[in-house]
Amino acid sequence: MSDLSKLREMVEEEAERRRQLREQISFEECSEIKLAGELFREKGIEEVANELGQSLDETRNLIKRYAVLVNSPTENVPAMAMLRGVKYYGGQVSLEELSEEADSREEVEEEIRDFVAVTLDENDIESIEVDSVEIPEDAVYPEIMTETVRKVQQSLSSISPPPALYTGLADVSARISETVTNLQPAFESLSRAISRILPEITRAIEGGVSNFDSPKDYDPDRVRFDESAEAIAVSSLERFVEQIEREEVPELRSYIERLEFALEHHSDEQYVAPIFVFISVQDGLMDWLCRQDGVTPDDQSRFGDDIYRWDTKRDTLARLYEGWYDVDTGKFIQNLDAFYQHRNAIMHGDPLAYFDRNIATISLLFLDATLYTVIEYADQNVE
């Protein structure tokens, strides 16, 4: 059985386990736990029992389960079930309010049943002492979610493109810092900001990779340079280098030293060496994609090495390209093909070759889009 088949089987088994647990609890029981717990926040257990018309033992059992749902929420359910479960119990949000964000009330009820069933199954209810139990005022989220938001916040704060493009992300970064224990508003803000900013990033990249004429018509002094495109290119490569360091693919890790060298010289506004690195590494990555994907070589060198010609490498990249920042495949490949004259002039010592800041940014953007595709391919296909 392949690793992918094993993974699929594990996912299906986990889904079936959740379904079986969910069938053991009704939504009426879930809402009864909520009611008892919210009363207990304000009243003693005897008052709660009288108000519910339950015995003290029955009331204690409800409060124990409420305490577990608030203090120890599971992370082993789908993200939306976890978020809504935490809001329903720890955040004291009503079913009606949660249903406004969902397709239907029934959907939310099922998610809450999932959350309750799995959380209770993972915890020892009987060990809880009601007399000493503490119910926090604010919602408690699983550590995996709070850590995710911290990482998102750190990532956003590390981005340094021009403020005009990233004002929204800065606002969200601050919002997440303030609300890391109340994740749903943070996620909603992040989603809204990304939906506003992603098109701007896409436009900046598409403008960046098309910002050139043919070598004979190119004039660096007349180019309208886009600092946003450069900032996206540089910050993306820095992140890709970190990802490559985590990949168990020796051929990719061998590029790290070269890429770090190129980034250092680029930051010093020395563009000749970085341009050579960006273009040559991208060419090597395109070659790697061909070999990994079983593409038939076009020829052999006089040393017996397989050779993939430009058209083959370009077409393979186009087929495997994953849509970096939603940049259209056609626009990416067409501009990459049009840039070939510049690449050829640079790499083969043509007197009419340019090594300015704009050409460096274009070369880096093409490299980034290729690296994105390569890393995605490695994650999915390389053991």
Side-chain angles (χ1 to χ4, degrees):
M1 181 183 293
S2 68
D3 289 342
L4 185 59
S5 297
K6 290 178 182 177
L7 178 60
R8 185 181 298 112
E9 186 176 289
M10 290 171 59
V11 171
E12 290 172 352
E13 288 175 356
E14 179 60 22
E16 175 60 20
R17 185 183 79 87
R18 289 201 310 269
R19 187 194 66 77
Q20 292 177 0
L21 288 172
R22 184 176 67 239
E23 292 304 313
Q24 297 174 23
I25 190 163
S26 67
F27 184 73
E28 287 70 24
E29 292 175 271
C30 296
S31 58
E32 191 174 31
I33 294 170
K34 175 181 172 70
L35 176 59
E38 291 184 359
L39 287 172
F40 184 68
R41 287 175 179 269
E42 306 294 336
K43 302 178 180 181
I45 189 167
E46 292 186 358
E47 289 182 85
V48 175
N50 288 335
E51 192 157 334
L52 294 176
Q54 303 264 25
S55 69
L56 282 175
D57 285 344
E58 290 171 328
T59 304
R60 283 194 182 91
N61 189 43
L62 290 171
I63 293 169
K64 286 180 181 181
R65 289 191 282 175
Y66 182 80
V68 165
L69 294 170
V70 171
N71 290 308
S72 306
T74 183
E75 61 185 45
N76 296 314
V77 292
M80 194 53 69
M82 186 276 293
L83 288 168
R84 287 175 176 158
V86 169
K87 290 178 74 173
Y88 186 66
Y89 290 102
Q92 303 178 67
V93 178
S94 70
L95 175 63
E96 289 68 27
E97 290 175 283
L98 291 177
S99 298
E100 291 176 1
E101 343 172 313
D103 292 334
S104 68
R105 178 189 179 105
E106 290 72 23
E107 172 191 309
V108 178
E109 290 183 356
E110 184 168 304
E111 288 172 338
I112 290 173
R113 288 171 63 204
D114 258 353
F115 172 80
V116 171
V118 175
T119 300
L120 296 183
D121 183 67
E122 292 175 348
N123 289 275
D124 181 10
I125 309 298
E126 297 308 317
S127 66
I128 296 175
E129 296 290 338
V130 173
D131 294 338
S132 59
V133 73
E134 294 185 4
I135 308 295
E137 288 187 18
D138 296 325
V140 175
Y141 286 80
E143 179 60 28
I144 190 171
M145 296 302 294
T146 56
E147 184 61 26
T148 297
V149 171
R150 288 190 187 98
K151 288 180 179 178
V152 170
Q153 193 276 331
Q154 289 168 2
S155 296
L156 295 181
S157 64
S158 69
I159 296 175
S160 56
L165 184 60
Y166 282 87
T167 301
L169 286 181
D171 292 342
V172 176
S173 178
R175 178 74 178 277
I176 292 176
S177 297
E178 296 168 0
T179 60
V180 73
T181 56
N182 189 5
L183 302 187
Q184 182 66 11
F187 282 132
E188 290 170 353
S189 294
L190 181 60
S191 177
R192 286 194 298 270
I194 289 175
S195 67
R196 291 195 308 270
I197 293 165
L198 180 58
E200 296 184 44
I201 296 175
T202 305
R203 284 193 293 272
I205 295 171
E206 290 179 348
V209 298
S210 61
N211 193 24
F212 62 91
D213 297 311
S214 66
K216 66 182 180 64
D217 296 320
Y218 183 76
D219 183 351
D221 295 330
R222 292 170 54 194
V223 169
R224 295 182 60 184
F225 184 72
D226 185 353
E227 292 186 359
S228 297
E230 180 188 55
I232 294 165
V234 171
S235 62
S236 294
L237 182 57
E238 290 170 345
R239 291 196 301 274
F240 287 143
V241 168
E242 292 175 1
Q243 288 180 266
I244 292 172
E245 288 175 339
R246 297 193 293 270
E247 294 286 343
E248 297 298 326
V249 184
E251 298 98 319
L252 301 184
R253 293 172 66 90
S254 66
Y255 288 120
I256 292 174
E257 186 175 348
R258 270 175 270 180
L259 294 174
E260 290 177 338
F261 166 87
L263 283 169
E264 181 179 349
H265 281 259
H266 187 278
S267 68
D268 292 336
E269 300 182 7
Q270 300 174 19
Y271 301 118
V272 175
I275 288 171
F276 276 113
V277 172
F278 298 153
I279 292 175
S280 61
V281 170
Q282 191 211 2
D283 195 70
L285 293 171
M286 293 167 73
D287 189 88
W288 182 88
L289 282 173
C290 290
R291 296 176 192 279
Q292 291 295 317
D293 209 50
V295 176
T296 303
D298 296 304
D299 203 348
Q300 282 195 327
S301 72
R302 62 191 179 94
F303 304 109
D305 298 322
D306 291 336
I307 294 175
Y308 295 98
R309 303 200 187 283
W310 170 255
D311 289 355
T312 301
K313 290 187 283 192
R314 176 203 60 206
D315 293 346
T316 301
L317 177 59
R319 177 168 52 82
L320 300 175
Y321 173 64
E322 291 282 349
W324 180 52
Y325 279 123
D326 287 350
V327 174
D328 178 73
T329 302
K331 290 181 179 179
F332 167 51
I333 296 299
Q334 287 167 14
N335 284 299
L336 178 62
D337 214 27
F339 191 63
Y340 184 78
Q341 285 182 284
H342 279 279
R343 292 167 56 97
N344 197 55
I346 290 165
M347 302 306 291
H348 293 280
D350 193 303
L352 197 63
Y354 293 93
F355 297 89
D356 58 284
R357 185 181 181 187
N358 183 56
I359 294 296
T361 296
I362 295 168
S363 304
L364 179 48
L365 286 168
F366 285 134
L367 170 62
D368 284 333
T370 306
L371 265 171
Y372 177 79
T373 303
V374 164
I375 291 170
E376 290 292 306
Y377 186 94
D379 286 342
Q380 297 169 22
N381 299 285
V382 180
E383 295 182 357

